[in-house]
Amino acid sequence: DTAVSQTPKYLVTQMGNDKSIKCEQNLGHDTMYWYKQDSKKFLKIMFSYNNKELIINETVPNRFSPKSPDKAHLNLHINSLELGDSAVYFCASSQGGLGVEQYFGPGTRLTVT
Amino acid sequence: AQSVTQPDIHITVSEGASLELRCNYSYGATPYLFWYVQSPGQGLQLLLKYFSGDTLVQGIKGFEAEFKRSQSSFNLRKPSVHWSDAAEYFCVANTGNQFYFGTGTSLTVIP
């Protein structure tokens, strides 16, 4: 069983479109995250949810909106896609608290043309 | 501000040689420290973590890391590198709800 899954794995779309990436974890964790990894492999946290409540909201354009329908899911919706949004987006989960391991999904490679 | 520094962007070693990847953190207290590995096209996988106690921690795949408070370092080591170790390595510090990632070190292994 995949612990943290993301769909789709690849996403190619045109500028101005709206797209969503879905994330699900079956680990029973209470905290989920979205990260953006750029072409230089730099990882930047975007959002974090704990029990469906937003706890980290870094400086991210408001075109990005996370949605957590339940503890096991954290989806990322992106409006009006721009070329600079091209990146690999990783979802992760952890069992809250301090000093706990994060489990990462396989990533979604988004290419905006 | 808290930060994690990985001074080496890219390292090349020969298969069978020893490896050390450097990591320094900047934080008032000792954070929780992790090393993750990202194989090409994959997500991140935990190699090892340090919370407290013994400053030499063992991880998976033959990796170990040593925490040195005086140097604010948490360097990753492996005595003999295998070709399959070629990947991107990230050092991470955790305080509260925040995770601070280093910029990563890309490891190339040559036969």
Side-chain angles (χ1 to χ4, degrees), chain A residues 9 33 35 37 40-43 45 48 55-56 58 88 90 94 97-107, chain B residues 32 34 36 38-46 49 51 88 90 92 94-99 101-104:
Chain A
K9 189 168 175 62
Y33 311 79
Y35 287 88
Q37 186 176 47
K40 294 184 179 178
K41 302 289 187 181
F42 181 65
L43 271 160
I45 191 166
S48 173
I55 55 171
I56 294 176
E58 295 295 316
V88 181
F90 286 99
S94 68
L98 189 65
V100 293
E101 174 185 356
Q102 291 181 304
Y103 290 78
F104 285 80
Chain B
Y32 294 94
F34 306 81
Y36 284 84
Q38 183 182 21
S39 297
Q42 304 293 317
L44 280 73
Q45 180 186 21
L46 180 71
K49 54 189 176 185
F51 294 163
E88 191 83 17
F90 292 94
V92 183
N94 169 225
T95 62
N97 289 323
Q98 292 284 1
F99 288 85
F101 280 72
T103 49

Side-chain angles (χ1 to χ4, degrees), chain A residues 49-60:
Chain A
Y49 269 75
N50 178 265
N51 283 318
K52 302 196 307 176
E53 194 173 323
L54 183 65
I55 55 171
I56 294 176
N57 185 3
E58 295 295 316
T59 306
V60 175

Side-chain angles (χ1 to χ4, degrees), chain A residues 41-93:
Chain A
K41 302 289 187 181
F42 181 65
L43 271 160
K44 175 180 162 59
I45 191 166
M46 302 173 70
F47 303 103
S48 173
Y49 269 75
N50 178 265
N51 283 318
K52 302 196 307 176
E53 194 173 323
L54 183 65
I55 55 171
I56 294 176
N57 185 3
E58 295 295 316
T59 306
V60 175
N62 56 16
R63 298 181 294 104
F64 290 79
S65 54
K67 285 187 172 51
S68 183
D70 55 57
K71 256 180 29 169
H73 296 85
L74 181 61
N75 303 325
L76 183 65
H77 188 76
I78 315 170
N79 289 328
S80 304
L81 278 155
E82 300 178 357
L83 291 177
D85 298 332
S86 295
V88 181
Y89 292 83
F90 286 99
C91 177
S93 74

